[in-house]
Amino acid sequence: MVEIPGSALDLHLSLNCGQVFHWRALPAHPTDPTDPSHPRAWIGLIDQQPMILAQHEGRLLAPKGLETVAARYLALDHPIAAWCASAPKDAFTQASLAHCQGLRILRQPAWECVATFITSALKQVPHITQISHTLRARYGNPINAWGTTLHTYPTPEALARVSENDLRDCKLGFRAKNLLGAAQAVADGLVNLKAIPAMDDEAAIAELCKLRGVGRKVAMCVLLFAYGRMNAFPIDVWIDRILRERYLTAEPDATVRRLEQFAAETFGPHGGYIQQCLFHYARQTWRKPKGK
DNA sequence: CTCCAGGTTCCGG
DNA sequence: CCGGAACATGGA
């Protein structure tokens, strides 16, 4: 392992704030898992590339030769300090940013991002993670690395071959039909994920929404987490609650489109970054007397 | 037991 | 065009 110098990053936070769902912590120490002096490592895949990442006292470590891949995935080039500096000065935003220092919006593979957020509908984060691992284990490609077996996220073609019932067996519930339909549409070329970067925001959203199980919220997540569009502002149940209770108290009947418009005006061109901080801060603090 | 979770689709007015 | 119910599953 070699150090990747420079940028501010909280690895644990960035991998566990609800934007990606498959990284696993390795035991902190072979004999003493509670030893805080030993760097905690995370193992996962960046597309097809097995990866181990660790952070100890601010120093980011990656396998030698994989520094560039890691730095790109972790988006260490994003000027997050400047984004935070230009954020709104209200108390809730500032508390969220302070609580999420070192959070980075990753650059995820597009299909993996689309698929995992299709499976995220009405699910809690741990459930999404469980589903992701089941799909990988059953329909992804196994890759041996560092003494364990990792599984790539199943391709659209691989999932398109699977029956809806087999997907339901992965605890997908009603999302099985959505994931299957989306996989078939991508596999058949009805939707070309590589064409998204050249489209403007509304065209990109419309294109993604052709996929079964993808609505405005999931499309926004994909634009933010896979295509690096920091202005994308997904409105889920948490953000909806925050905006209504903390910002638009004067408009109790605001539609989601109104919330989107307000967010764009208020949080600006990097609102998606702030959105992730608001989301995580709210989830960590809302009606939770004792931390855990 | 009831309620809710990083929503979308489908249906009736 | 718009609001509301249906949709599976598991944890709190």
Side-chain angles (χ1 to χ4, degrees), chain A residues 72-87:
Chain A
R72 171 168 173 74
Y73 182 77
L74 296 170
L76 299 183
D77 53 303
H78 282 167
I80 56 173
W83 297 347
C84 292
S86 63

Side-chain angles (χ1 to χ4, degrees), chain A residues 8-10 13 80 84 96-104 273 277:
Chain A
L9 168 74
D10 186 325
L13 175 60
I80 56 173
C84 292
S96 299
L97 294 177
H99 188 262
C100 294
Q101 291 202 20
L103 187 156
R104 286 182 181 273
Y273 180 80
C277 296

Side-chain angles (χ1 to χ4, degrees), chain A residues 253-277:
Chain A
D253 297 324
T255 63
V256 173
R257 293 302 282 260
R258 167 66 183 133
L259 296 182
E260 266 184 32
Q261 177 203 15
F262 172 82
E265 294 169 353
T266 304
F267 299 105
H270 310 109
Y273 180 80
I274 301 170
Q275 185 271 8
Q276 188 59 16
C277 296

Side-chain angles (χ1 to χ4, degrees), chain A residues 4 6-11 14-15 19 46 53 60 67-81 83 102-108 224-230 273:
Chain A
I4 299 179
S7 309
L9 168 74
D10 186 325
L11 182 63
S14 299
L15 296 181
Q19 58 175 322
I46 298 177
L53 299 168
L60 173 64
E67 302 96 315
T68 306
V69 176
R72 171 168 173 74
Y73 182 77
L74 296 170
L76 299 183
D77 53 303
H78 282 167
I80 56 173
W83 297 347
L103 187 156
R104 286 182 181 273
I105 303 294
L106 308 176
R107 286 194 181 91
Q108 297 185 48
L224 181 61
F225 299 136
Y227 293 101
R229 299 203 186 186
M230 293 301 125
Y273 180 80

Side-chain angles (χ1 to χ4, degrees), chain A residues 1-2 4 11 15 22-26 40-54 60-74 106 136 143-146 148-152:
Chain A
M1 301 281 273
V2 296
I4 299 179
L11 182 63
L15 296 181
H22 85 277
W23 291 86
R24 282 189 157 147
L26 291 176
R40 179 186 294 181
W42 297 89
I43 189 165
L45 283 154
I46 298 177
D47 201 9
Q48 308 289 304
Q49 175 62 58
M51 181 66 69
I52 285 187
L53 299 168
L60 173 64
L61 302 172
K64 186 169 176 55
L66 297 181
E67 302 96 315
T68 306
V69 176
R72 171 168 173 74
Y73 182 77
L74 296 170
L106 308 176
R136 283 172 176 273
I143 298 180
N144 293 317
W146 301 296
T148 62
T149 301
L150 303 170
H151 294 265
T152 61

